[in-house]
Amino acid sequence: ETGVTQTPRHLVMGMTNKKSLKCEQHLGHNAMYWYKQSAKKPLELMFVYNFKEQTENNSVPSRFSPECPNSSHLFLHLHTLQPEDSALYLCASSSGEAYTGELFFGEGSRLTVL
Amino acid sequence: SQQGEEDPQALSIQEGENATMNCSYKTSINNLQWYRQNSGRGLVHLILIRSNEREKHSGRLRVTLDTSKKSSSLLITASRAADTASYFCATDAIRGSTLGRLYFGRGTQLTVWP
């Protein structure tokens, strides 16, 4: 138990569906992140939020839409995805104004796009 | 790219043996971290070493950092079957205060046979 909870753990969706991934952290951290992990590729940073403000958007397609209503919750809204978007989506959190320490990851949401 | 690259890609050893994994990176860093990931799960932080440190220990883990060679190594002593996992190095980049800009490699898959 890392203090970062992701739901759902598994998701199968069609290319025309709309779904959302949820992440909640119970660690009092101020920064939250979405990473994408595809087979045989390095972890890709997608979005970073610091104190609810988006500070990083790593050229992610608009079919991925993040939402951070408060410092404890982070969503990733998905719509009209492509099969190549199938991957493990990892949420993480950290503390501190500028990055100096470790990331705490959730268990991930395994997404399959048919 | 700043991304760390782990070597070897895969390592298979017997219980009780030591496992050594290496990481190389390209630009100056503030710190380097090692993470572990069990199959299909989230990443778990193992150890962080700062650029002004040369060696760090945590239980059966020993990490070294050579900033002149831009490389790090992770040594797991007296390995156990439970150490079977993927191991990733992650480096930050000295580019102002870009929060969360951690670069992960593709990882080393370690298998420890009983």
Side-chain angles (χ1 to χ4, degrees):
Chain A
E1 178 61 51
T2 63
V4 179
T5 304
Q6 289 188 242
T7 54
R9 291 292 311 278
H10 300 273
L11 178 63
V12 179
M13 58 188 289
M15 292 168 61
T16 58
N17 293 158
K18 288 185 180 182
K19 297 286 184 184
S20 296
L21 306 181
K22 179 183 176 182
C23 177
E24 182 175 2
Q25 58 99 357
H26 310 276
L27 301 168
H29 290 164
N30 55 273
M32 297 186 75
Y33 315 75
W34 280 116
Y35 280 88
K36 176 183 178 182
Q37 187 176 35
S38 305
K40 298 184 179 180
K41 292 177 68 175
L43 229 62
E44 300 172 58
L45 177 65
M46 300 176 72
F47 301 103
V48 182
Y49 279 82
N50 189 29
F51 290 106
K52 303 185 300 177
E53 299 298 321
Q54 187 179 124
T55 60
E56 184 92 25
N57 177 338
N58 196 24
S59 301
V60 180
S62 60
R63 57 185 184 269
F64 294 92
S65 175
E67 178 189 0
C68 188
N70 55 61
S71 294
S72 299
H73 293 85
L74 185 64
F75 295 88
L76 188 63
H77 303 300
L78 316 169
H79 62 98
T80 59
L81 294 190
Q82 305 298 312
E84 60 265 29
D85 297 322
S86 298
L88 182 67
Y89 289 84
L90 292 163
C91 173
S93 70
S94 69
S95 62
E97 270 293 334
Y99 184 78
T100 57
E102 67 184 272
L103 296 183
F104 291 76
F105 283 86
E107 296 285 27
S109 293
R110 172 69 63 184
L111 173 66
T112 302
V113 181
L114 302 176
Chain B
S1 168
Q2 166 65 19
Q3 290 164 343
E5 289 295 333
E6 295 88 350
D7 172 65
Q9 290 186 20
L11 181 61
S12 186
I13 60 174
Q14 294 291 132
E15 261 191 334
E17 294 180 341
N18 295 341
T20 300
M21 288 158 272
N22 303 295
C23 171
S24 59
Y25 57 93
K26 295 185 178 177
T27 66
S28 297
I29 61 172
N30 291 309
N31 61 62
L32 183 145
Q33 302 181 47
W34 285 91
Y35 286 80
R36 164 197 167 124
Q37 184 181 33
N38 284 32
S39 181
R41 309 290 293 274
L43 278 73
V44 176
H45 180 265
L46 294 177
I47 199 164
L48 179 152
I49 186 165
R50 302 194 186 283
S51 59
N52 61 354
E53 297 176 309
R54 291 296 168 260
E55 187 171 314
K56 205 162 183 179
H57 297 255
S58 177
R60 293 184 295 113
L61 305 181
R62 172 177 169 253
V63 169
T64 62
L65 179 64
D66 187 334
T67 53
S68 66
K69 294 181 180 178
K70 293 186 171 58
S71 67
S72 173
S73 68
L74 170 67
L75 169 67
I76 303 174
T77 60
S79 63
R80 306 166 182 167
D83 294 328
T84 295
S86 292
Y87 291 83
F88 296 87
C89 70
T91 56
D92 67 349
I94 298 181
R95 292 183 192 173
S97 59
T98 306
L99 181 66
R101 182 54 80 174
L102 263 193
Y103 295 85
F104 286 83
R106 288 178 173 77
T108 292
Q109 173 59 52
L110 173 66
T111 302
V112 182
W113 299 99

